[in-house]
Amino acid sequence: MIDVNQLTVRLGHRLIFDNAFVHIADNQKIGLVGNNGCGKSTFFKCLLNQLDTMDGEIILPANARIAYVEQSIADTEMSVVQYVLSKDTELMSLRNQLNSVSEIEKPEIMERLKLLDSDGAEGRIAYILNGLGFENDDFDKPVKAFSGGWRMRLSLAGALFQYSDILLLDEPTNHLDLEATIWLEEHLHKYKGTLILISHDRMILNKLCDRIMHIENHQLKLYTGNFDTFEQTRHINRQQQMALAEKLTAKRAHMQAYIDRFRYKASKAKQAQSRIKMLEKMADIPVILQDETDCFSFPKPERLAPPLITLDDVSAGYEDKTVLRKLSLSVGINERIVLLGRNGNGKSTFAKLLTGKIKPKNGHIHRLSGLKIGYFAQHQEEELPLDETPLDFFTPLMSAEKPVQIRSYLARFGIDAEKAVTKIRLLSGGEKARLIFAQIALEKPALLILDEPTNHLDMKGREALLTALNDFDGSVLLITHDFYLIELFADDLWLIDKERCLPFLGDLSDYRRFLLAQSTQSESIREKAKEVKKESPEKRFSPLQMRQIKAKMGQLEREMDKLTQQKEECHQLFEKPLSGSEIREIQNRLKEIEKQLEDVEFQWLELSEQLV
């Protein structure tokens, strides 16, 4: 358990926690929420004893092992696997000791290594790295070869790999794609210790957390249930507070009116004095903190005739690599499209292709004359003029407007009067993202292409963006790992996989099941492989059984070839003009073929593992 008693923290002149209390029982999964700047990350530093400005007491279990994600990884020649392995310092220490201790001491160390699953450590690392999006070819590469986003995944892998009693995760999905986010959620479900998670992802807070800890007014308050339950409970509490405040206000007003009328009247002076004393003893009217409102706004675009963009047998990529092939798609009017697919499959390349940032290698793209596209790219905030203020930045963009009108416009995107005259380099990531949205909206685009727009937005900002996108009278193509945003926004899902982009046959729940089935299948095969490797195939099977297995595998291979050919023929049909009923018929046929192909592939894999 974790006991926080009388916690008080100041950062400079700013009060973060004021005599805060909370009790956290063992093995709870807690979502830590609150407005930006309320102290969520500071609370983690308190648990890790990284703050000198902390008063009060935090009591942790004796010898508690705390795992957390380091915010930066220095350049190192250490390989990816070696780096993750090094994060379990106890395991590494015991392995090193085993080579230097006496034979008498070895059994005790070996027993401890067995408890830590030392023999399976590298296998667990591979499982975690694959889940977070790393390929097997990445395992031996040096850490310094990876970008900042991939290093954050490595740091997350290190925290997940080491055995811990308490796991602290601060926005772990910010650098993950949708597929890795799904894997992480399932992995954390199996975690046996106490999990404290800072996240703005409502879906994860709902699916994973059994408690919500809210930071408000410098206090910590623990609520039972997931995030939706927390919001409902808090709403009920607020309604009760408001009713009490109204009742106390009315009672005070009634007594004050009596006092004002009769305090100087001799016959009523005694009663008036009595009410004065009662008024002084009455409880204070509770202060009800109102949630700050947030907003985005995209203007109505010029009405255009569909389709906005048409791709005809397009291939795209970069000088030394083709990333996408045979793209034959169109974007119509008022469409809500979400791109699915693992990082590296080409989602951002597809977005750049539509905007004209990159040219097609083959095929033809037709954009409607006069089409304006608003493009939000990952890391676009780095291109902002950091030494200017938002007001400076927007003055030439809105040259016909007065400063007061520019301030008013910025306020529509959450940039208040103070932030409008603050240098952009001092703004938060979320505030920089708001500036980009404000810049995009000036052009009145008919098509928004947004690549991970919510990475730096808090929950209020995400809700405001969702409302603005649903109200937008144009088309939107969105790349995001935010399940909640996808579920309440998407009309169509397009999957980028194996260099193709095609409509995904199903909804987000179907896609989730598809990914989890793949993960479960791989895990099942690994477990079976462990069992069958204990003895050679020749010892497990007779010559006749071996021939039967190989014959069955050959039959399955021929069936896979046949189904793959049928699948390709269905895909080719999408490249022709089709009616709505024809599209649905082909989609149903394709879904049936993919299910059959998945079953056949699984049968073949099971047989192949028997021959290992």
Side-chain angles (χ1 to χ4, degrees):
M1 64 181 180
I2 302 172
D3 274 312
V4 177
N5 299 314
Q6 296 180 305
L7 178 64
T8 299
V9 176
R10 286 184 179 276
L11 298 179
H13 296 293
R14 189 160 151 250
L15 181 65
I16 306 297
F17 296 110
D18 184 16
N19 201 34
F21 292 79
V22 75
H23 171 80
I24 300 171
D26 289 338
N27 305 326
Q28 290 181 342
K29 290 183 169 64
I30 295 170
L32 182 58
V33 302
N35 292 339
N36 281 353
C38 68
K40 298 186 291 292
S41 297
T42 301
F43 182 70
F44 275 12
K45 291 179 181 178
C46 293
L47 292 177
L48 295 167
N49 197 27
Q50 293 178 348
L51 281 182
D52 297 328
T53 57
M54 184 184 83
D55 291 323
E57 182 181 45
I58 296 180
I59 303 173
L60 300 171
N63 302 316
R65 295 168 296 182
I66 303 179
Y68 63 98
V69 178
E70 296 175 347
Q71 294 304 304
S72 63
I73 301 176
D75 282 348
T76 173
E77 293 287 349
M78 193 182 295
S79 75
V80 164
V81 171
Q82 289 171 336
Y83 171 80
V84 177
L85 189 61
S86 72
K87 295 296 102 179
D88 195 325
T89 53
E90 182 182 7
L91 175 63
M92 294 299 290
S93 174
L94 289 169
R95 281 187 174 185
N96 292 332
Q97 288 178 43
L98 195 62
N99 299 321
S100 59
V101 298
S102 66
E103 292 298 321
I104 298 175
E105 296 172 295
K106 278 187 178 181
E108 183 179 349
I109 294 176
M110 291 178 68
E111 183 62 29
R112 182 60 187 160
L113 285 170
K114 186 177 179 180
L115 289 173
L116 293 175
D117 188 24
S118 177
D119 290 343
E122 281 76 6
R124 284 191 292 116
I125 290 173
Y127 168 68
I128 292 170
L129 290 173
N130 285 154
L132 294 177
F134 288 89
E135 300 293 339
N136 291 346
D137 292 343
D138 295 328
F139 293 178
D140 294 325
K141 292 179 181 177
V143 170
K144 70 176 188 179
F146 291 87
S147 65
W150 283 99
R151 291 192 195 188
M152 288 307 300
R153 292 192 188 210
L154 265 183
S155 189
L156 175 58
L160 297 177
F161 166 68
Q162 58 187 286
Y163 282 99
S164 61
D165 305 296
I166 301 169
L167 178 58
L168 308 178
L169 298 180
D170 190 346
E171 294 287 0
T173 63
N174 265 6
H175 298 279
L176 303 184
D177 53 24
L178 193 63
E179 292 71 20
T181 299
I182 292 173
W183 178 88
L184 178 63
E185 182 195 316
E186 292 299 315
H187 185 76
L188 292 177
H189 265 298
K190 302 170 189 174
Y191 180 67
K192 302 299 183 183
T194 300
L195 170 68
I196 306 180
L197 169 70
I198 298 173
S199 179
H200 293 128
D201 190 322
R202 178 187 289 263
M203 192 70 73
I204 284 182
L205 292 172
N206 276 332
K207 286 182 172 292
L208 189 61
C209 298
D210 52 35
R211 301 286 190 283
I212 297 294
M213 185 157 63
H214 186 219
I215 302 178
E216 185 178 45
N217 198 26
H218 314 301
Q219 299 296 313
L220 294 160
K221 186 171 182 181
L222 198 61
Y223 293 79
T224 301
N226 63 14
F227 188 80
D228 282 348
T229 304
F230 153 73
E231 281 202 321
Q232 293 165 7
T233 303
R234 190 160 170 258
H235 176 72
I236 291 170
N237 291 346
R238 181 165 291 181
Q239 293 298 110
Q240 292 172 343
Q241 286 181 325
M242 290 174 65
L244 176 61
E246 289 175 6
K247 185 177 179 181
L248 287 173
T249 300
K251 189 173 182 180
R252 278 178 172 273
H254 179 75
M255 293 176 69
Q256 188 64 52
Y258 185 93
I259 293 168
D260 293 343
R261 184 176 179 185
F262 295 116
R263 70 186 303 173
Y264 300 113
K265 190 172 182 179
S267 61
K268 298 288 187 179
K270 189 174 181 180
Q271 293 92 323
Q273 289 299 318
S274 175
R275 280 166 173 74
I276 290 173
K277 292 179 181 178
M278 290 172 61
L279 194 60
E280 291 171 350
K281 293 179 181 179
M282 278 184 67
D284 292 333
I285 296 173
V287 177
I288 302 170
L289 298 175
Q290 298 295 329
D291 285 335
E292 298 175 12
T293 57
D294 210 343
C295 61
F296 286 94
S297 176
F298 296 106
K300 186 174 181 177
E302 177 186 350
R303 179 59 64 182
L304 299 172
L308 302 178
I309 300 179
T310 303
L311 289 79
D312 183 15
D313 197 26
V314 170
S315 295
Y318 306 94
E319 287 186 7
D320 58 340
K321 184 179 181 182
T322 298
V323 179
L324 300 168
R325 302 177 191 272
K326 298 182 180 179
L327 301 178
S328 293
L329 297 157
S330 63
V331 179
I333 296 292
N334 205 27
E335 291 199 341
R336 301 290 186 265
I337 301 166
V338 170
L339 283 187
L340 305 175
R342 292 187 178 278
N343 273 7
N345 279 11
K347 297 191 298 294
S348 294
T349 301
F350 186 80
K352 292 174 183 175
L353 181 67
L354 293 186
T355 61
K357 299 287 183 182
I358 61 174
K359 303 298 181 185
K361 290 192 164 189
N362 294 298
H364 178 70
I365 298 179
H366 178 262
R367 297 180 186 84
L368 197 64
S369 177
L371 173 64
K372 294 179 180 178
I373 300 175
Y375 178 45
F376 184 105
Q378 290 192 64
H379 315 301
Q380 191 171 342
E381 67 274 7
E382 296 172 4
E383 299 175 14
L384 291 169
L386 300 181
D387 289 321
E388 294 183 13
T389 68
L391 189 59
D392 295 334
F393 178 38
F394 273 80
T395 295
L397 300 177
M398 303 175 67
S399 56
E401 307 292 342
K402 296 178 181 178
V404 66
Q405 293 168 317
I406 298 174
R407 288 172 183 264
S408 176
Y409 178 76
L410 291 171
R412 286 163 50 190
F413 291 85
I415 305 296
D416 61 24
E418 181 183 350
K419 295 292 192 299
V421 292
T422 300
K423 283 193 175 183
I424 292 174
R425 70 168 61 256
L426 300 176
L427 300 180
S428 69
E431 289 159 347
K432 291 174 184 174
R434 293 164 191 275
L435 278 182
I436 296 168
F437 282 123
Q439 184 183 11
I440 288 171
L442 281 176
E443 296 296 322
K444 297 184 179 179
L447 172 62
L448 293 174
I449 298 178
L450 310 179
D451 191 351
E452 296 291 0
T454 64
N455 271 357
H456 297 293
L457 294 179
D458 59 18
M459 205 165 289
K460 297 195 307 298
R462 293 181 184 208
E463 292 281 357
L465 179 60
L466 172 61
T467 300
L469 292 179
N470 281 329
D471 290 343
F472 177 55
D473 192 19
S475 293
V476 184
L477 187 139
L478 177 66
I479 302 170
T480 182
H481 62 261
D482 189 323
F483 273 100
Y484 181 73
L485 183 59
I486 296 173
E487 283 205 331
L488 295 183
F489 166 79
D491 292 332
D492 298 290
L493 302 176
W494 290 1
L495 175 61
I496 295 184
D497 187 36
K498 298 177 182 176
E499 301 182 342
R500 301 293 301 276
C501 180
L502 294 167
F504 179 75
L505 309 178
D507 58 16
L508 191 59
S509 297
D510 294 322
Y511 186 61
R512 184 187 184 86
R513 284 192 289 269
F514 166 71
L515 292 174
L516 291 177
Q518 286 185 327
S519 176
T520 303
Q521 178 175 309
S522 300
E523 200 169 346
S524 172
I525 290 171
R526 278 196 301 272
E527 292 302 317
K528 288 183 178 178
K530 288 180 184 177
E531 296 173 8
V532 300
K533 284 180 182 177
K534 293 176 183 176
E535 54 181 341
S536 66
E538 288 74 13
K539 291 183 179 179
R540 295 195 304 275
F541 304 113
S542 67
L544 175 60
Q545 288 173 320
M546 290 284 287
R547 286 197 297 273
Q548 289 174 335
I549 291 172
K550 290 179 180 179
K552 179 63 176 175
M553 288 177 67
Q555 178 187 340
L556 291 171
E557 286 168 4
R558 289 189 292 275
E559 195 169 344
M560 280 191 284
D561 290 340
K562 180 181 176 182
L563 289 168
T564 301
Q565 178 62 32
Q566 293 176 5
K567 181 178 176 181
E568 182 62 28
E569 289 170 356
C570 284
H571 284 163
Q572 290 172 0
L573 292 175
F574 283 115
E575 298 171 8
K576 303 175 183 178
L578 298 169
S579 66
S581 60
E582 288 173 328
I583 290 174
R584 286 191 292 273
E585 183 179 341
I586 296 170
Q587 286 177 334
N588 290 334
R589 174 61 181 149
L590 192 54
K591 194 170 185 179
E592 181 183 336
I593 291 170
E594 287 178 335
K595 177 65 171 66
Q596 292 175 13
L597 185 58
E598 185 180 333
D599 291 341
V600 174
E601 286 176 344
F602 186 66
Q603 292 177 52
W604 187 91
L605 286 166
E606 283 188 312
L607 290 173
S608 69
E609 290 298 333
Q610 292 180 32
L611 299 182
V612 176

